[in-house]
């Protein structure tokens, strides 16, 4: 489900859940626990990576629709914990976005320190990233909205979230949603190089400056009460959301 590759003091957590690295309840808790464990076991930086052409397709809607209300509530609490584990991680976390990254995949990247995204070799088939939750009947929670606004500016974030836009990698780097582009085969290496440059700096000065700079993000994710999980679950089981999600699953099954 998640491979752990150690590059000296840098841990690469490579998503390995075919076919699209969808975020199931088990995936979310496994990734959360690995991010928490890595610094305690000597990691000085973490890279989150996917498979070529796909970082993560977001939530595993098929498995989540099988959960009852209590199971769904626990998942959303665990997903908040996952976001918080990235936002509050004591070492830098870099997203090596190896391909498409809609919804939950984009969310994971937003909370990272730095984002490297793949540039498609075929201009006619660009890789895309975005918070497209509205298109599948979901509301973007306030904590994610605030983190996204912190990254690219509140008004620009508003416009993209409200329409559920999926933008190309080239558009994403232009607006600061990702920091740089690289060929698919070089995304992870580019992320590792970024980590190495930071780890070569005086460690106390770098870490303390980073902690101060990210204090607002850490504070945002420091209190689970900021994420109204029960309200979100009520929305999840609402008629509009359920109809949209079931239609999405039917469409996916029809494709194969």
């Amino acid at each position: 489900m998640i491979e752990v590759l150690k590059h000296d003091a840098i841990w690469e957590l490579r998503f390995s859940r075919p076919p699209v690295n969808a975020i199931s309840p088990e995936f979310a808790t496994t990734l959360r626990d690995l991010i928490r464990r890595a610094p305690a076991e000597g990691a000085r930086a973490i890279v989150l990576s996917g498979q070529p052409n796909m970082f993560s397709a977001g939530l595993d809607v098929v498995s989540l629709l099988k959960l009852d209300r209590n199971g769904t509530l626990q998942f959303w609490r665990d997903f908040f914990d996952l976001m918080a584990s990235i936002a509050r991680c004591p070492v830098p976390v870099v997203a090596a976005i190896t391909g498409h990254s809609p919804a939950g995949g984009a969310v994971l990247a937003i909370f990272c320190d730095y984002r490297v995204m793949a540039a498609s070799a075929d201009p006619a088939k660009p890789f895309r990233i975005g918070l497209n939750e509205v298109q599948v009947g979901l509301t973007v929670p306030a904590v994610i909205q605030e983190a996204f606004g912190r990254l690219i500016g509140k008004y620009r974030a508003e416009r993209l979230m409200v329409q559920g836009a999926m933008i190309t990698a080239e558009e994403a780097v232009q607006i600061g949603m990702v920091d740089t582009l690289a060929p698919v085969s070089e995304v992870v290496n580019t992320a590792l190089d970024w980590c190495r440059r930071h780890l070569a700096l005086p460690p106390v000065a770098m870490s303390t400056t980073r902690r101060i700079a990210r204090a607002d993000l850490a504070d945002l994710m420091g209190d689970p009460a900021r994420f109204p999980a029960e309200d979100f679950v009520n929305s999840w089981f609402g008629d509009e959301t359920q109809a949209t999600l079931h239609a999405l699953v039917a469409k996916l099954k029809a494709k194969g």
Side-chain angles (χ1 to χ4, degrees), residues 122-160:
D122 183 354
K125 297 179 179 178
F127 294 123
R128 293 183 178 273
I129 186 170
L131 299 179
N132 63 328
E133 281 82 352
V134 167
Q135 292 194 26
V136 295
L138 296 176
T139 300
V140 180
V143 291
I144 296 175
Q145 293 199 27
E146 290 189 44
F148 195 31
R150 175 185 184 273
L151 184 63
I152 67 168
K154 289 186 177 181
Y155 180 71
R156 179 170 277 161
E158 173 194 333
R159 294 272 50 82
L160 292 174

Side-chain angles (χ1 to χ4, degrees), residues 28-253:
T29 55
T30 299
L31 180 58
R32 176 200 64 195
D33 293 346
L34 283 169
I35 292 170
R36 290 177 176 174
R37 189 183 109 200
E41 296 188 10
R44 295 182 58 209
I46 297 170
V47 171
L48 307 182
S49 67
Q51 305 301 317
N53 304 325
M54 177 60 69
F55 180 61
S56 170
L59 301 182
D60 184 352
V61 175
V62 175
S63 67
L64 294 183
L65 284 175
K66 296 176 182 177
L67 300 177
D68 61 14
R69 185 172 292 269
N70 287 336
T72 303
L73 180 62
Q74 185 59 55
F75 170 77
W76 286 110
R77 287 174 172 162
D78 289 339
F79 192 71
F80 176 90
D81 284 347
L82 171 56
M83 294 186 289
S85 72
I86 299 173
R88 298 171 63 83
C89 189
V91 301
V93 183
V94 179
I97 308 168
T98 47
H100 295 295
S101 187
V107 169
L108 298 182
I110 285 168
F111 285 95
C112 290
D113 292 65
Y114 193 76
R115 287 148 289 276
V116 181
M117 187 167 179
S120 174
D122 183 354
K125 297 179 179 178
F127 294 123
R128 293 183 178 273
I129 186 170
L131 299 179
N132 63 328
E133 281 82 352
V134 167
Q135 292 194 26
V136 295
L138 296 176
T139 300
V140 180
V143 291
I144 296 175
Q145 293 199 27
E146 290 189 44
F148 195 31
R150 175 185 184 273
L151 184 63
I152 67 168
K154 289 186 177 181
Y155 180 71
R156 179 170 277 161
E158 173 194 333
R159 294 272 50 82
L160 292 174
M161 290 185 296
V162 171
Q163 64 180 304
M166 290 290 295
I167 61 176
T168 67
E170 290 71 21
E171 291 170 325
V173 78
Q174 288 173 6
I175 66 172
M177 187 174 181
V178 301
D179 296 283
T180 192
L181 302 181
V184 174
S185 61
E186 291 300 316
V187 171
V188 172
N189 285 335
T190 303
L192 291 171
D193 286 344
W194 185 93
C195 292
R196 292 184 183 110
R197 289 196 301 274
H198 281 68
L199 297 186
L201 296 168
V204 174
M206 186 275 287
S207 297
T208 304
T209 301
R210 173 183 178 270
R211 176 176 53 79
I212 295 169
R214 288 173 62 86
D216 59 332
L217 192 61
D219 288 345
L220 173 67
M221 303 305 293
D223 182 2
R226 288 182 180 271
F227 180 63
E230 292 187 5
D231 291 343
F232 198 80
V233 169
N234 289 336
S235 175
W236 175 271
F237 283 100
D239 292 341
E240 178 182 274
T241 299
Q242 286 289 300
T244 306
L245 292 174
H246 279 283
L248 173 64
V249 170
K251 184 177 179 180
L252 292 174
K253 289 181 177 178

